[in-house]
């Protein structure tokens, strides 16, 4: 509802695709040192196709159970093509050179502050109260200071692939 004045009809799919990113991105950065730059378009593409896949898959199952096998087979072939399309689109998005960035693990205090602010904002939205601008400015500034202070973005040297070197010296005591 709050996005509709800004985004129009796309506000519902956008909020549905954005909500899991807001919740999971800090944890992914904390545990896996990565942030996806293509997650939002990937989620939007997946949402559109998965809705069709689920409905067609359910109908194919029902038709198969009641013995209308040609229609079930037709729906399953369509599902197969849609899954191939979804796989190709998501693979293409993941192959962009900056599809993900390497980050340092944020400190635990940053995660706690982020989720605390998020809970506060969600509670204000749930109660349909306006969020005072001074709180928004303070929370945004506080998070930005913590991020910059921590130096979240890692150096490019961390982006090198893992290598293993084995040296055969011929004798175990060398």
């Amino acid at each position: 509802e709050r996005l509709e004045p800004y985004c129009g009809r796309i506000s519902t799919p956008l909020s549905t695709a954005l909500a899991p990113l807001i919740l999971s991105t800090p944890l992914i950065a904390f545990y896996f040192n990565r942030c996806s730059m293509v997650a939002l378009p990937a989620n939007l593409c997946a949402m559109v196709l998965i809705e069709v896949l689920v409905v067609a898959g359910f109908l194919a199952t029902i038709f198969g159970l009641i013995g209308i096998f040609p229609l079930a087979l037709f729906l399953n072939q369509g599902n197969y093509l849609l899954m191939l399309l979804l796989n190709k689109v998501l693979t293409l998005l993941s192959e962009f050179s900056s599809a993900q960035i390497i980050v340092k693990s944020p400190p635990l205090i940053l995660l706690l502050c982020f989720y605390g602010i998020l809970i506060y904002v969600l509670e204000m939205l749930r109660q349909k109260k306006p969020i005072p601008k001074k709180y928004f400015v303070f929370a945004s500034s506080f998070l930005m200071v913590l991020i910059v202070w921590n130096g979240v973005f890692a150096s490019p040297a961390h982006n090198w692939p893992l290598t293993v070197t084995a040296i055969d010296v011929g004798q175990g005591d060398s």
Side-chain angles (χ1 to χ4, degrees):
E1 296 172 356
R2 299 289 177 120
L3 285 178
E4 196 166 339
Y6 307 105
C7 302
R9 292 185 350 201
I10 195 170
S11 63
T12 300
L14 181 63
S15 61
T16 305
L18 197 56
L21 295 179
I22 291 171
L23 289 173
S24 66
T25 298
L27 291 173
I28 292 170
F30 184 76
Y31 285 109
F32 302 109
N33 303 98
R34 305 218 184 278
C35 282
S36 175
M37 298 290 108
V38 295
L40 185 60
N43 279 357
L44 286 170
C45 291
M47 273 181 25
V48 170
L49 292 177
I50 285 179
E51 188 173 340
V52 174
L53 286 168
V54 168
V55 171
F58 178 74
L59 288 174
T61 303
I62 297 298
F63 291 145
L65 286 173
I66 61 174
I68 308 175
F69 299 115
L71 190 53
L73 183 62
F74 176 75
L75 285 172
N76 280 333
Q77 291 299 322
N79 268 356
Y80 176 73
L81 291 175
L82 281 177
M83 283 192 281
L84 282 177
L85 175 66
L86 179 61
N87 189 30
K88 291 295 183 190
V89 168
L90 296 181
T91 301
L92 177 70
L93 284 172
S94 71
E95 289 176 351
F96 284 131
S97 61
S98 57
Q100 64 179 342
I101 57 172
I102 309 297
V103 295
K104 278 177 36 180
S105 288
L108 189 56
I109 187 71
L110 180 61
L111 286 178
L112 295 175
C113 289
F114 174 79
Y115 287 114
I117 291 169
L118 185 63
I119 289 169
Y120 172 76
V121 168
L122 291 175
E123 185 61 26
M124 295 296 282
L125 290 173
R126 188 181 69 77
Q127 295 176 4
K128 300 202 184 284
K129 291 182 180 177
I131 300 170
K133 274 192 176 177
K134 64 181 181 180
Y135 290 158
F136 179 75
V137 170
F138 172 75
S140 300
S141 301
F142 181 70
L143 285 175
M144 290 307 294
V145 165
L146 278 176
I147 289 170
V148 171
W149 180 43
N150 186 49
V152 170
F153 294 101
S155 66
H158 293 274
N159 201 13
W160 294 349
L162 176 68
T163 59
V164 176
T165 304
I167 302 172
D168 182 13
V169 294
Q171 298 180 18
D173 60 341
S174 296

